[in-house]
Amino acid sequence: MNQDATRYFYQPVLIFLGAVSLVLTAYVTWLTLNDLSLMKPQAQKFVGLDNYWRLLTDARGLGALWRTALFTIAVTTIEILLGLAIVLYLDREFKGRRLVRALLLVPIIMTPVVVGLTWRFMFDPSTGMVNYVLSLLGQDRPMDWLGNPAIALFAVMIADIWQWTPFVALLTLAALEALPTDPLDAARVDGAKEWQVTFYVLLPMLKRALLIVALIRAIDSVKAFDLFYIMTRGGPALSTETLNLYGYIAAFTNFDVSYAMTIALVLTVVTNIALLAVYGVMFPARNEARA
Amino acid sequence: MDRRHFLTLTTALAATGVIGQPLTARAAQPYAGQRVSVLLEGHPTSDAIQKLLPEFKELTGIDVELEIIPEQDITAKMLLEFSSKSGRYDIVQNNIIYIKGFADAGYIVPLDDLLKANPDHYDKADFVPGYIDTAMSDGKLYGLPVYGESTFLMYRKDLFEQHGIAVPKSFDDIEAAAKTISEKTNKEIAGITMRGQQGIQGVYVWAAYLWGMGGSFLDEAGKSALGTPEAAKALEAFARVLRDYGPVGVANFGWEENRLLFQQGKAAMTLDATVNGAYNEDPAASTIVGKVGYVPVPMQADKPKGGSSSLAVHCMFVSADSQVKDAAAVFASWATAKAQQIKSVKSDPNSGVTSLGAMADEEFVKRYGAFKDAMLQAIGQGNPQYLPTVPQANEIINNTGIAVSKALAGTATAAEALKEADAANQAALSK
Amino acid sequence: MKRALFWIGLLALLVLVLFPIYWVVATSLKTVKDAFAQPPVFLFEPTFANYAKVLQNSVFLRGFFNSLLVSITASVIAVAVGALAAYGLVQQNAGKRRAHEKFILGLRIAPALIFVVPTYYLAVRVGMLNSHALLIAVYAFVNIPFAISMMITFFEDIPHELRDAARVDGAKEFRIFWSVILPLARGGLVATLILCVLFTWNEFFIALVLSGRDTQTLPVTITSFLTFQGIEWGPLTAAATLIMLPMVVLGLLVQGNVVRGMTLGSVKG
């Protein structure tokens, strides 16, 4: 009897969440099968899969997809590598360890809009600190970080990497501390050198944690919006327009609601596939153990 | 009820003591107690109107609920409201380029009859003719101009004199002058600065080159015309002069960045909105007060399709779903009337007044005299079709902005970039 | 020697991480002249003029109030609902739970664009635009799945025996939840609440589309600083500092849980 009562704790919530998302998904899907522009709402008409075909042949949309992929892969990889390096570096006893951890947390909890503004400020071609530091190092010609289409995407990447590498580091550090130390000690006793212990014992043990954090970062990067909106708004020459930004522009500049929803739906499907992968990695053992 | 009867009635009521307020105030308050919801752009005129609201309330008894949001977001906001027939706003403000689309969609109503019924503040003859004439569609008046501006070329008289350069009369002159300044000052001072940011910013200024060199956005049949050699030539010239003699970072310059750089004396020329004159001549913010010359945007074509000076007029429209259209019309005509515009010049940096009376006012002449004549000349030559006025205008500007940005960045040639934009615009137009 | 190298490396890392933040805060305390001096000045007489300017700006103050109201209310709702649901879920068998958790995670993953536009339409129809209730409802909605996932991890740490003992005593399920389990998970509740506030406070996209004049939250407000008066870096950096400061303080209060929470997926939309 009582066992059943626990159902009422979560079922209404889940049913409500489920119903809302079902209705929304159905409505959005319906929109993508129509041609609805806010400029002419009366002229809504059913067009079948046209919007999807349009996306497949839209050079701008495909470009945005490619940049989204490039951005996601690049920042995820770099953040993992840098984060891991930091962890290995910090994995020892030293005074102020707790303080260092607290400081590493600051970029993570900073408002992303403020992060975008900060880096826009740092990257200002004439008064920014980045170019000033470069000029001290002998780079005379100021770099136009956000105005040069060849490097603008990388400038946004730098901001993203700055904000999220500490996250990777802290998460990995937490995982590292939860690991048993026996295998490491055993390897050391067996005469393995410190780098061998790191590569052959430690890293394999951290693999699952790294995979999880990589997937989390990848999912967030696919959806990245704030930094792009604040730093470049997709320019110059479309060089920083990602799929999410393109969807936003389609909806709120071109008022092409149907096409915007098509982009959003495709993005959702992509991220959901990635999510299922995360889930598979994240929770397999624990749940089976309790069954 | 006509006015005279209304007066008699209120007199009678006042006599019986029903109405305690003074007769004059009461007489002009047929809509007292109604509430008008207004959506305005973030702009000095909106700030000025906001400050004057208590006066309006006292005068008419109408409550005004004012919402001010950035210009770039305003169109999306009002479209969503319009399309869902929410009636959320009684008055909205936007550029004249939307009049046709809004009117055709039945979002906004003609004002002629409303103003005939409520003539107290409305004086057609006081509006700059070039402004009020563009607020029409199919012979009906849809908007009351709040602010307007055109574009002109601003150049540093002192630098031009120092280096012996004549006032530019063509785009070639501009390039030559930019080259001279840039070389003579060893790039310390940029030859020219203009907005290069992808989107409306870059397009707004490049359009001067487009029209000035004989191109146009659309042809006579309403088809996209960006694939023409004239357009390609115009984009090439624009991109070249900025790439070679423009400031660092110009590809991300919007209105502010461009204005600030010029104000700080770091560029010898800029082609931009007339309102920039107000900033150049403001001693509190500018290091170049009195050093700037103002001349019209050049025309450099045998058979131009339209003028190269913009005509950006922003009007108040009355929403078709409004339940208080009369009160809304009273507010719109009051807010754009001469008396309020004169006050706005005093309270805010507003050089974009639309009232001839306000322009002749002493305060206006004192503040903006340095460029008033050039501004009026530019307005006189202003091209109401400077930016496309079709319903798909936003999308066309977005597509064109990409082409401008690409050419400026050098990731595509002007002709290639425009060919893409041309195709995208044509697709949008034929939807 | 090796020790010294370690400290130098650590210092370099901290400079990389903290310098941009320091620079924004420093700029907010500078006069216009100092802010754009070339070469940059590191020693300067601090001025609070920029803060005075921002704090006199009624738009900013309203944004601050809105951010506070929306993020706290939405978070309280999300945590209350989330705690209930999480408690129920923790009692289920593994198979059922796994399916439900997967669904919850799926909810969190959709880009905000997909629900923001339909929500806007709906809000306009029922006349809820420009009302705090709309923003609160939407943020509560996006925070609930996160709160569930987060609270599950805390409830799991509570030994099953406690609940079983209470049941033997004949306590009703809600009573067990309320008087036995919830007090034990107090720390978790607070941490979850703080994280929800943090996410909501920082969120930009939803607020950009769904907030009206009276409900604009700070991240949206600050972008209007960007477009209206030109980029005045002084007041802008002061505003930026005021926006991030409360969150940095809150975040440091629940340090360990921030990473735990974000691992469970961020609600960034």
Side-chain angles (χ1 to χ4, degrees), chain A residues 41 60 144 146 149 235 237-238 255, chain B residues 107 198 249 252 394 398 405 409 431:
Chain A
R60 186 173 171 187
D144 189 2
L146 299 174
L238 288 186
F255 310 123
Chain B
Y107 293 158
Q198 183 184 313
N252 261 341
N394 236 332
N398 190 264
S405 188
K431 253 196 295 195

Side-chain angles (χ1 to χ4, degrees), chain C residues 2-263:
Chain C
K2 216 174 154 191
R3 202 78 197 150
L5 272 181
F6 169 76
W7 286 107
I8 290 169
L10 186 65
L11 193 71
L13 172 71
L14 289 181
V15 166
L16 275 178
V17 171
L18 296 178
F19 181 79
I21 304 170
Y22 159 75
W23 199 239
V24 164
V25 177
T27 305
S28 73
L29 294 168
K30 286 178 180 176
T31 60
V32 178
K33 207 168 127 266
D34 283 340
F36 290 102
Q38 287 287 5
V41 288
F42 288 89
L43 290 174
F44 57 92
E45 206 169 306
T47 163
F48 288 95
N50 292 323
Y51 287 90
K53 205 166 172 186
V54 170
L55 291 174
Q56 276 163 16
N57 184 326
S58 63
V59 179
F60 182 84
L61 293 180
R62 185 181 263 177
F64 209 93
F65 168 76
N66 289 335
S67 275
L68 217 56
L69 176 73
V70 169
S71 50
I72 292 179
T73 318
S75 303
V76 168
I77 297 173
V79 171
V81 175
L84 273 172
Y87 177 74
L89 279 170
V90 169
Q91 317 307 333
Q92 307 311 308
N93 65 43
K96 214 178 202 176
R97 229 181 96 179
R98 190 177 154 88
H100 289 322
E101 281 184 20
K102 207 183 241 175
F103 166 70
I104 291 167
L105 228 52
L107 286 177
R108 288 215 305 266
I109 221 78
L113 185 64
I114 206 161
F115 64 83
V116 154
V117 173
T119 308
Y120 192 102
Y121 255 133
L122 185 76
V124 170
R125 291 224 166 104
V126 299
M128 260 180 72
L129 208 71
N130 200 27
S131 84
H132 290 102
L134 170 71
L135 276 187
I136 291 170
V138 172
Y139 279 123
F141 186 82
V142 294
N143 273 320
I144 285 173
F146 166 74
I148 297 178
S149 312
M150 191 78 180
M151 286 312 298
I152 284 180
T153 68
F154 289 108
F155 287 140
E156 270 178 344
D157 292 344
I158 298 170
H160 259 253
E161 293 74 20
L162 280 171
R163 175 167 172 262
D164 297 340
R167 282 174 64 196
V168 171
D169 291 347
K172 287 249 169 15
E173 198 65 51
F174 187 77
R175 225 191 126 62
I176 303 176
F177 168 71
W178 189 254
S179 353
V180 180
I181 306 294
L182 220 44
L184 288 172
R186 214 184 298 134
L189 279 175
V190 173
T192 310
L193 183 72
I194 288 182
L195 283 177
C196 286
V197 170
L198 195 135
F199 290 140
T200 312
W201 183 281
N202 285 348
E203 202 285 334
F204 175 60
F205 188 89
I206 296 172
L208 181 69
V209 181
L210 292 181
S211 67
R213 167 195 53 166
D214 299 324
T215 60
Q216 224 172 53
T217 56
L218 282 176
V220 185
T221 307
I222 200 174
T223 60
S224 65
F225 273 68
L226 210 61
T227 44
F228 280 22
Q229 304 104 327
I231 306 189
E232 287 185 80
W233 283 110
L236 191 69
T237 48
T241 308
L242 290 173
I243 293 176
M244 68 178 170
L245 206 63
M247 291 310 108
V248 170
V249 173
L250 275 186
L252 292 179
L253 281 180
V254 287
Q255 261 197 65
N257 285 311
V258 173
V259 173
R260 180 179 187 170
M262 290 195 180
T263 314

Side-chain angles (χ1 to χ4, degrees), chain B residues 91 111 114-115 118 144 318 324-334:
Chain B
I91 294 180
L111 303 176
L114 287 170
L115 291 171
N118 304 283
L144 290 178
V318 174
V324 289
K325 294 195 182 71
D326 283 290
V330 170
F331 176 76
S333 55
W334 171 84

Side-chain angles (χ1 to χ4, degrees), chain A residues 160-226:
Chain A
D160 190 87
I161 290 166
W162 176 82
Q163 184 171 27
W164 294 109
T165 300
F167 169 67
V168 175
L170 289 177
L171 180 69
T172 315
L173 207 57
L176 185 91
E177 281 162 358
L179 291 179
T181 51
D182 309 0
L184 303 180
D185 294 338
R188 287 194 188 106
V189 169
D190 289 348
K193 296 209 173 55
E194 205 47 41
W195 67 266
Q196 287 172 319
V197 176
T198 303
F199 268 84
Y200 297 113
V201 188
L202 190 61
L203 283 188
M205 280 164 45
L206 280 177
K207 208 172 90 188
R208 186 162 159 265
L210 287 173
L211 210 52
I212 290 171
V213 69
L215 285 163
I216 292 173
R217 286 305 310 135
I219 289 170
D220 279 349
S221 312
V222 168
K223 296 191 293 178
F225 178 83
D226 303 7

